[in-house]
Amino acid sequence: MTTLITGATRGIGLALFDTCAARGDTVIGTTRHPVPGIGTPDTGSWLQADFADPDSIATLGPALGDRPLDLLVCNAGVYLDRGQTINTGYQPALWADSFNVNVMGVFLTIQTLLPNVLAARGKIAIISSQMASSTRAPGGSYIYRASKAAVLNLGRNLATDLKPAGVAVGIYHPGWVRTDMGSNDADISADEAAGGLMARFDALSLANTGCFQTWDGRDLPL
């Protein structure tokens, strides 16, 4: 099984990379900045891509060539409006930068690598958040919530369009995870999140394509 994980150098992405590698999968991670030892998928299991940059994302297709992908995990994301207040915060640049990575970056990644996924009749997993839910609306974090709601909508529509081609798409909340984004006060470790998410990815099929689930298998309200 060959898996590609975006944003795999730290946090949940790195835990997913390690979990896949530990169970014997061929795993390819992406990194935004050069790291020592970076190479091709065959030699180093790393590719470089900046998911705010369409030209950078476009390099992933030629880098993989016609190599089939059994699982594409769109994990790369940003949370730039943490702590912003409605009276002074949420500057336009934060909106643009967040949507570039969290929405446009996800779509362009899927568009670029779709031939590889189709070649394997593979699966696509999108890491969103329970903060994408319109039913759950406690307020605040407007940019992050809006971007994750947008990528939830994107994923569910992709699920409809790709089902006839045999490709299942799932959208997932990874939990509140102890990472740089989640903080040290979060509920679960990155390894716990990765283990639960991998179980969800394994269970993803055309029967439940378009699902919006937590890392531990609960369905979330839209």
Side-chain angles (χ1 to χ4, degrees), residues 41-219:
D42 289 329
T43 60
S45 297
W46 292 99
L47 294 173
Q48 188 178 346
D50 180 346
F51 293 95
D53 181 354
D55 291 337
S56 182
I57 295 169
T59 66
L60 292 174
L64 285 184
D66 59 1
R67 186 173 186 173
L69 277 182
D70 298 288
L71 175 63
L72 170 60
V73 182
C74 295
N75 167 73
V78 295
Y79 185 0
L80 302 179
D81 60 322
R82 184 193 304 276
Q84 297 278 304
T85 59
I86 194 170
N87 55 333
T88 60
Y90 304 104
Q91 294 83 9
L94 292 181
W95 286 91
D97 292 346
S98 298
F99 270 74
N100 278 347
V101 176
N102 293 354
V103 186
M104 180 194 74
V106 172
F107 177 78
L108 292 181
T109 299
I110 293 170
Q111 185 180 52
T112 298
L113 297 179
L114 185 56
N116 305 84
V117 177
L118 289 170
R121 292 177 65 89
K123 307 176 187 181
I124 298 170
I126 297 172
I127 304 302
S128 179
S129 169
Q130 67 182 6
M131 293 168 75
S133 171
S134 296
T135 302
R136 302 165 61 105
S141 298
Y142 299 113
I143 299 174
Y144 185 75
R145 290 183 191 279
S147 69
K148 289 301 186 180
V151 84
L152 167 61
N153 183 277
L154 171 67
R156 286 180 59 79
N157 280 282
L158 283 168
T160 297
D161 286 340
L162 296 179
K163 186 174 183 179
V167 173
V169 181
I171 306 97
Y172 302 96
H173 167 59
W176 187 22
V177 186
R178 291 189 290 275
T179 63
D180 291 343
M181 183 182 291
S183 83
N184 290 329
D185 297 326
D187 293 332
I188 60 173
S189 69
D191 288 341
E192 289 175 288
L197 287 169
M198 288 307 304
R200 305 286 76 72
F201 304 161
D202 289 341
L204 177 61
S205 70
L206 294 179
N208 66 351
T209 189
C211 62
F212 182 32
Q213 294 181 333
T214 63
W215 67 283
D216 54 355
R218 292 174 288 119
D219 291 326

Side-chain angles (χ1 to χ4, degrees), residues 5-68:
I5 303 166
T6 68
T9 55
R10 61 180 183 173
I12 296 167
L14 180 57
L16 285 169
F17 184 99
D18 289 342
T19 299
C20 287
R23 71 181 197 172
D25 295 351
T26 299
V27 56
I28 304 161
T30 73
T31 173
R32 186 172 56 172
H33 302 295
V35 295
I38 192 170
T40 68
D42 289 329
T43 60
S45 297
W46 292 99
L47 294 173
Q48 188 178 346
D50 180 346
F51 293 95
D53 181 354
D55 291 337
S56 182
I57 295 169
T59 66
L60 292 174
L64 285 184
D66 59 1
R67 186 173 186 173

